[in-house]
């Protein structure tokens, strides 16, 4: 089945007004990790879990605004080592299975029986892994900018994005000495995990600026600046490199093979046509294996969830879903 056309009037589906959380705290997860979480919206509304990207990017207040606070009970959390979770940037016991366990523990701790799971980029990976592990806990899935953790996707990030963003890729490579550029992932890992801030911070900023520069259809300096900020850069770069090294702690093709476990869960896949970070071929492969899912390609969008057409599609999808599962 070909993908649907995306929404043509992005301004008709703006983000919802910002609302402050009514509850927040930390979830203790073993001897190392404390997972920060928050809730906003209607405490008796439809529960929805927002899964951020990266891995390591963390959440921001704007992420609440994809959801109508009058209809949704909005649960955000920062994954291990990301955002306000502690210790920041920690790789210890930081695996996909551990993140799935954290999400399930958070659901139980908040007294939620079933919830909608909404994730983009790496968040789509984690959403699929969680749903396949706990299908009876998922009301619906909304996935954006699909990443499945495969070796070809990692290689594309490290080398292929330069076909479209050569300037950004050149700066990414030139942050590493010439004799180490044959294996950029290893070279970056070495620097990102060095205890000296004079070594790990420049590497983190170079990695994060590279990703931010490739994330939008048109140049967006504010996006790049956010990626480069101390709030984001080190945890994002360090944790991404860790997951890339281990191919997201997934067997090759595992999430495609697991689609049969979630075929009965209502699902929407939203993909930017010109997404260079997570190219549409991956979303297309997922949609082909999952004919029950609704597949929407946004014709004028890159990777970011805040591209106008993508934002509109996500907000409208959540509005439609509220009428079906509410």
């Amino acid at each position: 089945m070909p993908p649907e056309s995306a929404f043509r009037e992005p301004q008709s589906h703006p983000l919802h007004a910002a609302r402050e959380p009514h509850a927040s705290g930390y979830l203790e997860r073993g001897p190392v990790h404390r997972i920060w979480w928050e809730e906003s919206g209607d405490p008796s509304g439809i529960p929805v879990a927002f899964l951020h990207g990266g891995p390591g990017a963390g959440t921001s207040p704007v992420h609440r605004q994809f959801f109508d606070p009058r209809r949704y009970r909005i649960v955000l959390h920062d994954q291990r080592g990301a955002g306000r979770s502690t210790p920041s940037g920690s790789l210890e016991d930081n695996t996909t299975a551990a993140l799935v366990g954290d999400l399930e523990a958070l659901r139980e701790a908040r007294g939620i029986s079933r919830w909608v799971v909404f994730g983009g980029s790496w968040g789509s990976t984690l959403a699929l892994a969680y749903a396949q592990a706990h299908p009876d806990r998922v009301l619906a899935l909304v996935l954006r900018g699909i990443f499945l953790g495969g070796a070809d996707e990692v290689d594309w990030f490290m080398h292929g994005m330069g076909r479209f963003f050569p300037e950004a890729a050149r700066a990414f490579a030139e942050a590493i000495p010439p004799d180490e550029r044959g294996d950029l992932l290893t070279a970056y890992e070495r620097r990102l995990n060095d205890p000296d801030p004079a070594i790990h911070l420049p590497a983190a900023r170079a990695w994060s600026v590279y990703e931010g520069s490739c994330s939008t259809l048109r140049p967006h300096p504010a996006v790049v600046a956010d990626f480069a900020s101390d709030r984001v850069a080190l945890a994002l770069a360090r944790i991404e490199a860790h997951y890339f090294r281990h191919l997201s702690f997934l067997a090759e093709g595992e999430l495609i093979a697991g689609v049969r476990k979630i075929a009965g869960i209502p699902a929407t896949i939203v993909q930017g046509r010109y997404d260079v970070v997570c190219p549409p071929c991956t979303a297309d492969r997922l949609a082909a294996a999952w004919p029950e899912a609704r597949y929407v390609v946004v014709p004028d969008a890159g990777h970011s969830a805040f591209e106008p057409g993508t934002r509109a599609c996500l907000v409208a999808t959540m509005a439609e879903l509220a009428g079906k599962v509410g």
Side-chain angles (χ1 to χ4, degrees):
M1 179 185 297
E4 296 180 23
S5 297
F7 297 90
R8 297 291 184 177
E9 299 293 339
Q11 295 304 319
S12 67
H13 297 282
L15 292 172
H16 292 281
R19 296 284 184 91
E20 291 301 307
H22 54 73
S24 63
Y26 284 92
L27 182 70
E28 302 288 341
R29 293 293 289 161
V32 176
H33 291 280
R34 299 173 73 229
I35 306 303
W36 181 88
W37 60 270
E38 69 164 49
E39 281 194 30
S40 58
D42 182 356
S44 61
I46 303 161
V48 57
F50 176 92
L51 306 187
H52 66 71
T59 58
S60 297
V62 71
H63 292 143
R64 306 169 195 146
Q65 295 180 248
F66 288 108
F67 316 104
D68 185 343
R70 300 166 299 178
R71 307 189 75 177
Y72 282 100
R73 177 184 177 184
I74 305 158
V75 183
L76 273 58
H77 81 287
D78 290 335
Q79 296 155 28
R80 295 189 177 205
R84 283 159 282 191
S85 291
T86 62
S88 179
S90 174
L91 306 183
E92 185 176 349
D93 195 21
N94 199 332
T95 67
T96 301
L99 301 189
V100 167
D102 293 343
L103 186 56
E104 181 63 0
L106 179 59
R107 182 195 63 78
E108 292 179 345
R110 300 310 301 155
I112 295 169
S113 175
R114 300 172 72 203
W115 52 6
V116 177
V117 181
F118 177 113
S121 194
W122 160 257
S124 74
T125 323
L126 182 56
L128 286 166
Y130 174 80
Q132 291 175 17
H134 301 283
D136 56 328
R137 298 305 182 186
V138 180
L139 285 169
L141 287 161
V142 179
L143 310 174
R144 187 267 316 162
I146 303 303
F147 180 74
L148 299 175
D152 59 330
E153 295 166 274
V154 172
D155 182 70
W156 174 262
F157 182 98
M158 299 302 300
H159 305 288
M161 295 198 302
R163 297 185 181 189
F164 291 90
F165 292 92
E167 303 89 350
R170 186 180 306 116
F172 179 60
E174 289 179 349
I176 300 298
D179 62 345
E180 295 184 64
R181 291 177 193 165
D183 187 352
L184 286 174
L185 181 55
T186 296
Y188 267 100
E189 274 188 303
R190 184 179 301 120
R191 287 161 177 79
L192 292 168
N193 293 306
D194 191 290
D196 185 352
I199 295 174
H200 64 237
L201 284 176
R205 293 190 184 107
W207 178 294
S208 297
V209 165
Y210 170 57
E211 182 170 350
S213 298
C214 300
S215 290
T216 54
L217 184 62
R218 295 182 174 85
H220 202 309
V223 170
V224 178
D226 186 61
F227 271 81
S229 67
D230 289 345
R231 181 184 67 84
V232 174
L234 182 58
L236 174 69
R238 182 180 284 169
I239 297 172
E240 277 192 347
H242 170 67
Y243 274 76
F244 283 4
R245 171 62 65 196
H246 295 282
L247 298 181
S248 297
F249 301 91
L250 297 166
E252 192 70 30
E254 179 178 339
L255 296 180
I256 291 287
V259 162
R260 65 183 183 276
K261 300 176 184 177
I262 56 174
I265 297 174
T268 299
I269 300 166
V270 178
Q271 178 69 39
R273 171 62 70 192
Y274 300 106
D275 185 340
V276 171
V277 178
C278 295
C281 58
T282 306
D284 185 77
R285 189 162 73 248
L286 178 63
W290 195 1
E292 298 87 355
R294 178 188 179 210
Y295 179 33
V296 182
V297 173
V298 182
D300 55 354
H303 181 64
S304 172
F306 297 100
E307 299 277 65
T310 302
R311 179 199 69 213
C313 184
L314 292 171
V315 171
T317 296
M318 297 311 300
E320 293 170 5
L321 193 57
K324 295 177 182 177
V325 302

